[in-house]
Amino acid sequence: QLYLKIDKMASDRAKPLVKLRCEICNVSVSSSRDLEEHKKGRKHKQREFELAREQLSPSADKRRVILGLLTRYAPVAKDAEQALDAYIDRRSTTSLDTKENGIGVVLRPGKCKAKSEGGVLLYYKYTQITQPDKMTLWQDALCRALHLTGRIRIASEGINGTVAGDSLALELYMSAMKTHPELEMDRSAFKESEGSAHDFSGLQVMECKEIVSLGIPPGSLKSTEGGVHLTPEQFHKYLNPEAVNPYEPVPPGLGKGSRTILIDCRNAYEWKVGRFKNAILPPTRQFSDWPKFADNLIDELKLASGGDPSTKGVETRAQNTTPTAVMMYCTGGIRCERGSAYLKSRGVQHVYQLKGGIHKYLEAYPNGGQYEGKLFVFDKRRLVQPPQCDVVGKCEVCGVQYDHYTDKTRCCTCRALALICPDCVQKLTPRGETNADDQTVEKKKSPKPGNLNYVCKLCAPAEETLPAEQPPSDKFEKFLAIFRGPMCAGKSTLFNKLRQSTDERLKG
């Protein structure tokens, strides 16, 4: 009887446990608790959405959802409805999603049946938005219904965004932005360029304090107090004041006989690949560094009023004269709005900015005009180039002409993009891969992106960088100064003994 009882226990243990099965996903779990966790997961919800899609008529449901989002605030024109019908015919598969936002069904990006023309829209507008949270939900639902990707920032001061997708979807998006009562954006407010939805990794719509991060609250520095807008044609003409007709009425500070200061409002890694001639290039990593740069620039110009007014590294058109006007430009124009307002708040009287930024300038002058090089953009394209453009970028290591950015070539300190040619990338030693004799050790695996032993000029000031022609004795003395300094003090007992033995050998 004991042996029979043992055999029965062994057979019971060999039997599989009672499992629960999810009827939707056809997945087995061991307990009710695991089943509840499974139903909260992403795969289970996605399967529910697919079943809901199969039960609905895809074309009719898509048209109802998109049309409801387009006409949420005002009716759309007949052209928009025709574009909607053409867009629905072009699309094939979609997936449904539900959100507790009071909007209803939202469509997630699907795949096109046939490859269609696409584009990228860059826009901004400073206007009072009473409910930024609801605007964020509406923008998110609209972009997902139209299968658009990109980044959109919404604040009480306005909206700033870049979206990419199908050309018909972009037309519908512009129609919705035009009919919104708080936005009312015309087609001229959008900067269009070639691209597709794959230029962005996804869609990001967020509510922020500022639509462009300057670090100053919008209430303290209003964009309405910025500089005067110049069309691309006016900006092109006033870049060379000597060519302006003296009998033609011009804005104060511009024209023949006057001197203008041209400032680039972009970051250092942007103007390295393209810029206007004789422009002041700020050594900034981000736009929040602009106030500090502007303060230093204003102080230099005031000190130079009695002598040579030229700033460091800047070519001026007139010597020994006080600057009378400031001209500014950026990628799309939004940074000039806050940047020019900051200059005027510091006492600069005549400030002018390029309306629409470099995007609009290249639309007016497809061959580049007075712009040299390529245009840096914040998506997977990296660079937008005119049909005829020269390479103005240079490798930051060897100085050869080069203007191609990769995720691998970054500063190991601040992680900013760096222009480094392929030959110098191979020569640079990956971090942590050197031996005592300072010889490069061959890696078994390829180095990770951005893991090069390179420090940009912004992170390594000139006074801390060793010149290339410095004699070895000076290098050794500087090494000893660092070795004996507080940075290396108190690291370990072995390190302290090594310092003592080194000092004794030097005395000997």
Side-chain angles (χ1 to χ4, degrees), residues 10 40 62 127 158 203 218 247 259 266 309 361 367 377 453 468:
K40 295 179 182 179
K62 281 189 290 186
T127 182
L203 177 66
Y247 301 100
R259 175 174 172 263
R266 300 175 299 166
Y361 183 85
N367 293 330
V377 292
N453 189 14

Side-chain angles (χ1 to χ4, degrees), residues 22 56 68 119 125 187 342 408:
C22 178
L56 296 174
K125 186 172 183 179
R187 191 181 184 90
Y342 185 80
K408 182 180 179 180

Side-chain angles (χ1 to χ4, degrees), residues 126 210-216 221 264-270 282 284-294 328-330 333-342 378:
Y126 280 98
E210 303 175 79
I211 59 177
V212 58
S213 299
L214 182 61
I216 301 176
L221 185 66
D264 194 325
C265 294
R266 300 175 299 166
N267 301 318
Y269 57 87
E270 298 179 67
T284 56
R285 299 187 186 91
Q286 53 194 3
F287 189 55
S288 58
D289 300 334
W290 167 259
K292 183 179 179 180
F293 164 77
M328 307 170 61
Y329 68 91
C330 61
I334 184 171
R335 283 179 277 189
C336 289
E337 300 283 357
R338 300 291 302 278
S340 61
Y342 185 80
F378 294 91

Side-chain angles (χ1 to χ4, degrees), residues 34-45:
D34 295 339
L35 183 61
E36 293 178 359
E37 294 293 335
H38 168 73
K39 289 183 178 181
K40 295 179 182 179
R42 180 179 58 84
K43 294 183 178 180
H44 179 81
K45 292 182 178 180

Side-chain angles (χ1 to χ4, degrees), residues 242-410:
E242 300 299 330
V244 178
N245 187 358
Y247 301 100
E248 178 184 354
V250 296
L254 301 178
K256 189 174 182 179
S258 62
R259 175 174 172 263
T260 58
I261 297 296
L262 183 62
I263 304 178
D264 194 325
C265 294
R266 300 175 299 166
N267 301 318
Y269 57 87
E270 298 179 67
W271 52 254
K272 285 180 181 178
V273 295
R275 52 193 176 268
F276 284 98
K277 296 180 181 179
N278 302 330
I280 297 178
L281 307 175
T284 56
R285 299 187 186 91
Q286 53 194 3
F287 189 55
S288 58
D289 300 334
W290 167 259
K292 183 179 179 180
F293 164 77
D295 293 339
N296 296 334
L297 182 63
I298 291 173
D299 294 339
E300 289 181 7
L301 293 178
K302 288 181 179 180
L303 292 174
S305 60
D308 187 3
S310 60
T311 56
K312 185 178 180 181
V314 180
E315 297 181 4
T316 58
R317 302 186 182 92
Q319 299 295 332
N320 299 325
T321 57
T322 304
T324 57
V326 175
M327 296 175 61
M328 307 170 61
Y329 68 91
C330 61
T331 304
I334 184 171
R335 283 179 277 189
C336 289
E337 300 283 357
R338 300 291 302 278
S340 61
Y342 185 80
L343 289 180
K344 296 196 72 174
S345 67
R346 287 294 314 274
V348 182
Q349 295 182 358
H350 307 303
V351 182
Y352 303 91
Q353 63 185 75
L354 176 58
K355 184 178 180 180
I358 305 174
H359 269 286
K360 285 294 183 181
Y361 183 85
L362 294 180
E363 289 180 8
Y365 300 94
N367 293 330
Q370 299 191 36
Y371 184 81
E372 299 177 342
K374 302 176 183 179
L375 174 62
F376 183 89
V377 292
F378 294 91
D379 53 55
K380 294 181 180 179
R381 297 175 299 170
R382 294 289 190 194
L383 300 176
V384 176
Q385 60 183 17
Q388 299 176 0
C389 67
D390 299 329
V391 178
V392 299
K394 294 183 180 180
C395 176
E396 301 179 18
V397 179
C398 64
V400 69
Q401 288 187 340
Y402 184 74
D403 61 355
H404 183 66
Y405 281 117
T406 61
D407 290 333
K408 182 180 179 180
T409 55
R410 290 180 178 270

Side-chain angles (χ1 to χ4, degrees), residues 78-135:
K78 293 183 179 180
D79 297 340
E81 294 185 4
Q82 295 176 0
L84 176 59
D85 295 335
Y87 171 73
I88 290 175
D89 294 339
R90 183 180 291 182
R91 303 296 301 186
S92 59
T93 60
T94 58
S95 61
L96 300 179
D97 190 4
T98 56
K99 289 188 176 181
E100 299 296 333
N101 53 16
I103 293 178
V105 181
V106 180
L107 296 176
R108 283 187 172 180
K111 296 181 179 180
C112 290
K113 183 180 295 184
K115 187 177 180 180
S116 59
E117 297 181 357
V120 179
L121 288 181
L122 177 67
Y123 68 91
Y124 76 91
K125 186 172 183 179
Y126 280 98
T127 182
Q128 184 64 30
I129 297 180
T130 56
Q131 296 178 335
D133 51 349
K134 290 188 177 180
M135 174 72 74

